[in-house]
Amino acid sequence: MSKNVLILSSSPRRGGNSDTLCDEFLRGAKDAGHSAEKIFICDKKINYCNACRICDENGGNCVIDDDMAEIIEKMRAADVIVMASPVYFYAVDAQMKTLIDRTAACWRDLTFKEFYFLITAGIDRPDALDGTLSDFRGFVRCLDDCTEKGYIFAQGIRDFGAVKDSPYPQQAYNMGKNI
């Protein structure tokens, strides 16, 4: 059965290490016959949630006029959501955190989704994953009937493009192909 896959790349560098893993996941998903799209978050204008709570009064529609409305619609339509972030101070980067916070308007609509996480870190320490994975899992835990299906942690990958000379792109491709 073909699935609708949405990949959210929060890398601040197009073609950076986590973005490269997104491209490989995308390629694997498409090769398996799924409909798949990647959004490079830095190309989008996404403002911070201002906690006005107007979305609670108007059917989950945010009053902020930016690109998040388009992303929310794609998240609602997706069967599979892939979230990718480099590790910044043991957490997701600002681009991903802003996107997560802006789903406050629609989190009740994000049900029955499968989630995958792609995480890169410059340091080669397994505990570098803990905060970032906790951020992603905390988000998914707030959603009804959603499931974490897997993650890749590419540690010790600091320099731009270094991930290409590692086993992680193949792992991302295989993960995308086997969703």
Side-chain angles (χ1 to χ4, degrees):
M1 177 175 111
S2 180
K3 295 182 179 181
N4 184 9
V5 180
L6 178 64
I7 301 169
L8 302 170
S9 175
S10 72
S11 175
R13 302 182 296 186
R14 184 178 300 283
N17 294 318
S18 57
D19 193 48
T20 296
L21 295 183
C22 290
D23 290 340
E24 288 303 305
F25 192 105
L26 177 73
R27 190 170 66 87
K30 285 185 173 183
D31 284 354
H34 301 289
S35 170
E37 174 185 6
K38 178 182 86 169
I39 295 175
F40 188 71
I41 295 172
C42 284
D43 284 348
K44 302 296 182 179
K45 181 182 179 198
I46 304 174
N47 295 308
Y48 304 115
C49 177
N50 60 23
C52 68
R53 310 238 5 187
I54 294 173
C55 58
D56 290 342
E57 301 165 11
N58 67 0
N61 295 308
C62 184
V63 297
I64 299 172
D65 185 21
D66 63 7
D67 294 328
M68 194 61 195
E70 168 195 348
I71 295 169
I72 286 173
E73 286 310 309
K74 291 178 183 211
M75 290 177 78
R76 285 177 174 143
D79 301 305
V80 175
I81 298 175
V82 180
M83 302 177 89
S85 177
V87 173
Y88 277 33
F89 296 98
Y90 295 91
V92 296
D93 67 2
Q95 293 85 344
M96 183 59 73
K97 180 61 172 134
T98 301
L99 182 139
I100 289 170
D101 289 349
R102 284 295 301 287
T103 64
C106 72
W107 66 272
R108 289 177 190 91
D109 299 337
L110 299 178
T111 57
F112 302 103
K113 311 287 181 205
E114 297 175 353
F115 281 85
Y116 293 86
F117 310 126
L118 306 175
I119 303 166
T120 59
I123 62 174
D124 195 9
R125 291 179 39 184
D127 66 335
L129 169 69
D130 296 347
T132 307
L133 191 56
S134 179
D135 290 344
F136 283 139
R137 286 179 171 164
F139 171 61
V140 173
R141 214 173 296 126
C142 292
L143 309 176
D144 290 332
D145 299 309
C146 290
T147 308
E148 175 189 333
K149 299 296 280 186
Y151 68 88
I152 293 172
F153 178 45
Q155 62 184 357
I157 306 294
R158 176 177 295 278
D159 296 332
F160 184 86
V163 77
K164 292 176 184 172
D165 296 324
S166 77
Y168 301 117
Q170 185 64 47
Q171 290 174 16
Y173 174 83
N174 291 342
M175 187 178 274
K177 190 159 184 167
N178 292 308
I179 53 174

